[in-house]
């Protein structure tokens, strides 16, 4: 946890540049991949039959990448739970689970710092922004490169 004092410090260009390379583990964020296309809708995955049964999902996002070898889409989702306990429960219950013939992988998600934060500016989308607007602890952060 960072203090209000640390959050109010203006970042130098050098510090902001080094923070661009950092990823931060969010223990209330679950990243899931491997589910079939038929489930790739937020309303389905957030339902009590799937990820909604583990807690309150406050935000979700579904995306896909195209596999260059076979031109198929690989779907993934991010679920922000209302607390860390709900996220951990979801991961414990669904990681390595087979759903409709596909093995689901689930783990804590990561994020990066918001570019507005790195530029010492107020984010115009801070309520819905998926990126971090305050300094993380060393325990939460790791270098992605």
């Amino acid at each position: 946890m960072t203090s209000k004092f640390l959050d109010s410090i203006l970042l130098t260009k050098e510090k902001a540049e080094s923070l661009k390379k950092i990823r931060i583990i969010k223990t209330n964020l679950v990243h899931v991949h491997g589910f079939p296309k038929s489930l790739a809708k937020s309303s389905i995955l957030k339902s009590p039959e799937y990820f909604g049964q583990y807690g309150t999902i406050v935000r979700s996002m579904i995306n896909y990448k195209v596999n260059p070898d076979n031109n198929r889409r690989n779907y993934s989702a991010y679920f922000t739970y209302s607390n860390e306990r709900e996220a951990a429960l979801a991961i414990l219950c669904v990681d390595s689970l087979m759903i409709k013939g596909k093995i689901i992988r689930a783990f804590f998600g990561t994020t990066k710092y918001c570019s507005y934060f790195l530029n010492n500016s107020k984010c115009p989308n801070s309520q819905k922004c998926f990126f971090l607007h305050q300094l993380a602890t060393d325990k939460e952060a790791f270098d992605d490169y």
Side-chain angles (χ1 to χ4, degrees), residues 1-4 6-7 84 134-140:
M1 216 34 81
T2 58
S3 72
K4 290 192 184 284
L6 286 177
D7 291 341
E84 297 172 356
Q134 62 185 23
L135 292 173
T137 66
D138 289 341
K139 192 170 93 171
E140 299 168 310

Side-chain angles (χ1 to χ4, degrees), residues 20-116:
K20 284 182 184 178
K21 301 175 185 175
I22 301 295
R23 294 205 61 87
I24 301 94
I25 297 169
K26 299 292 292 174
T27 53
N28 68 330
L29 179 64
V30 177
H31 181 202
V32 182
H33 64 84
F35 52 86
K37 179 182 179 181
S38 62
L39 298 180
K41 291 186 179 88
S42 223
S43 59
I44 294 172
L45 290 173
K46 287 173 56 175
S47 73
E49 290 79 26
Y50 292 98
F51 293 91
Q53 68 184 294
Y54 305 110
T56 303
I57 298 172
V58 296
R59 195 180 319 179
S60 66
M61 181 177 68
I62 296 176
N63 57 20
Y64 67 88
K65 289 184 181 175
V66 176
N67 184 334
D69 295 333
N70 59 18
N71 224 22
R72 290 188 180 158
R73 292 180 178 185
N74 295 315
Y75 292 91
S76 65
Y78 290 89
F79 300 107
T80 303
Y81 281 90
S82 64
N83 62 59
E84 297 172 356
R85 186 170 184 254
E86 294 170 347
L89 180 61
I91 292 169
L92 285 170
C93 291
V94 303
D95 186 45
S96 300
L97 186 68
M98 186 172 290
I99 298 178
K100 296 190 178 192
K102 297 196 113 208
I103 295 178
I104 305 300
R105 297 303 314 216
F107 40 90
F108 288 117
T110 63
T111 191
K112 291 185 172 190
Y113 287 105
C114 177
S115 59
Y116 287 97

Side-chain angles (χ1 to χ4, degrees), residues 110-136:
T110 63
T111 191
K112 291 185 172 190
Y113 287 105
C114 177
S115 59
Y116 287 97
F117 172 75
L118 294 175
N119 290 321
N120 296 308
S121 301
K122 182 170 173 46
C123 178
N125 195 26
S126 63
Q127 295 301 315
K128 294 183 180 181
C129 185
F130 281 96
F131 301 104
L132 201 59
H133 298 94
Q134 62 185 23
L135 292 173

